Every structure is written in C-alpha cells, then in structure tokens.
C-alpha cells in the first residue's frame, strides 16, 4: 500500500480517517447551527410574549421590568410609541422590521428601544429625546412597502405610559383613516 504524507499509513486508512474527521466536523456544524436557530426562535418568542404583555396592560409591572431588562429596555423611563400599519400584516423579523431595527440601532445603539410587531402592526418604542419619529416615518414611506398609516403616541413614563402611548398611536391611525374615508379620498396612505 502507498504511504500517505510520509506518515507510513496506508492510503486507504488515511482516507478513511480524513473522511471520518470531515463527517464529524459536518455533524458538529449542523448541530451548532440547529442550536443557534432554536436559540433565536426562543428569543423571538420571549420578545413577542413580552411585547404582548406590555401592550395588553394586564401584567405585573415588576415582572415586566425584569423581563424588559433582558432586552435592554427601561420600562420605567419616558417613551414615545410609533405604530405603522401597511397594506399587509407585518411579522417579527420580517424585512420591514429589520430595516426599522437597523435605523434605530444606528441612531441609539439598541439601548432603551423596542421594535416589534403586534397584531400585524409595526411598533417602535423609543425615548422622546431620540427624536426618531420623523426619520422612521420617512424611512417607512420610502420603503416601497406602503401605503402606510402611521401614528405616534405622546411621551409617557412607565409601563402604563407605554400602553397609553401605544393606544394613542393606534387611535391616531384610526382617526386619520376615518377622516380620509369621510372626505372620500382615503387610499390607506398617510
């Protein structure tokens, strides 16, 4: 038998060992990727549950604060909520969500902001001093995913304030829609 690499091992044995090593690396890589995908899905599910609990108004504030800290979000602070409704339902981790999150991360570094979807509507919470409403509105209108109906709630403090700002933003969307329908010119775009 031929020697492999001057090691004196028969070529067929060296080939078997190398193939086994390649197979082992491939299996380990697949396992790692699978674990990463599960971790991302688990994190997304936790975030979705947190947003649902936060914006439903019925959760314990202490527990909400504990869960918010996991996402780098200070629910005790003052926040503004912007909501955006497109012509279709939006989903977490979708392209629109990704673009909004990228803009917010670039502006604020990801601290004390929350970007999510709830009931197919984009929800973005941020401190009022961040002044992100105008850049977000322009980015959404320029995204090609419209037409958009966009509402911005007032700046309020704490978990109750977040809920209030969210409700104000949703009301703004509904009122704008009704006004445009009454005038006969509503196209879904704001």
């Amino acid at each position: 038998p031929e020697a492999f690499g001057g090691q004196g091992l028969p070529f067929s044995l060296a080939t078997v060992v190398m193939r086994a090593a390649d197979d082992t690396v491939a299996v380990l890589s697949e396992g790692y990727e699978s674990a990463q995908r599960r971790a991302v899905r688990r994190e997304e599910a936790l975030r979705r549950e947190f947003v649902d609990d936060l914006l439903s108004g019925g959760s314990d504030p202490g527990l909400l604060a504990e869960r918010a800290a996991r996402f780098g979000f200070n629910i005790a602070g003052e926040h503004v909520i912007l909501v955006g409704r497109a012509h279709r339902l939006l989903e977490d981790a979708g392209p629109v969500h990704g673009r909004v999150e990228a803009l917010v991360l670039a502006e604020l570094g990801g601290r004390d902001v929350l970007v999510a979807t709830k009931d197919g509507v984009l929800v973005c919470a941020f401190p009022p001093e961040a002044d992100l409403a105008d850049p977000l509105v322009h980015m959404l209108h320029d995204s090609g995913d419209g037409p958009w109906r966009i509402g911005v709630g007032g700046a309020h403090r704490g978990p109750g304030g977040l809920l209030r700002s969210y409700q104000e933003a949703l009301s703004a969307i509904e009122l704008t829609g009704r006004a445009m329908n009454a005038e006969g010119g509503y196209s879904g775009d704001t």
Side-chain angles (χ1 to χ4, degrees), residues 12-51:
S12 59
L13 178 58
T15 302
V16 168
V17 169
M18 293 301 285
R19 284 187 183 151
D22 285 345
D23 291 345
T24 301
V25 169
V27 168
L28 288 173
S29 293
E30 287 173 19
Y32 176 77
E33 289 173 8
S34 177
Q36 289 290 66
R37 282 191 300 272
R38 281 193 309 274
V40 167
R41 281 194 298 269
R42 187 172 45 249
E43 188 75 15
E44 287 172 355
L46 289 171
R47 186 180 189 91
R48 244 186 329 273
E49 289 172 16
F50 168 68
V51 169

Side-chain angles (χ1 to χ4, degrees), residues 106-162:
E107 293 292 323
L108 299 176
R111 297 294 303 163
D112 208 21
V113 295
L114 185 66
V115 178
T117 58
K118 180 164 175 51
D119 302 326
V121 175
L122 176 71
V123 178
C124 186
F126 50 89
E129 64 273 8
D131 200 24
L132 284 175
D134 285 340
L136 284 169
V137 167
H138 291 294
M139 194 261 329
L140 290 172
H141 281 297
D142 294 342
S143 71
D145 293 302
W148 286 94
R149 291 189 338 193
I150 298 170
V152 181
H156 303 289
R157 188 171 296 284
L162 282 159

Side-chain angles (χ1 to χ4, degrees), residues 91-115:
E91 32 182 80
D92 278 338
V96 172
H97 182 269
R99 286 193 298 275
V100 169
E101 200 163 56
L103 174 69
V104 168
L105 289 174
E107 293 292 323
L108 299 176
R111 297 294 303 163
D112 208 21
V113 295
L114 185 66
V115 178

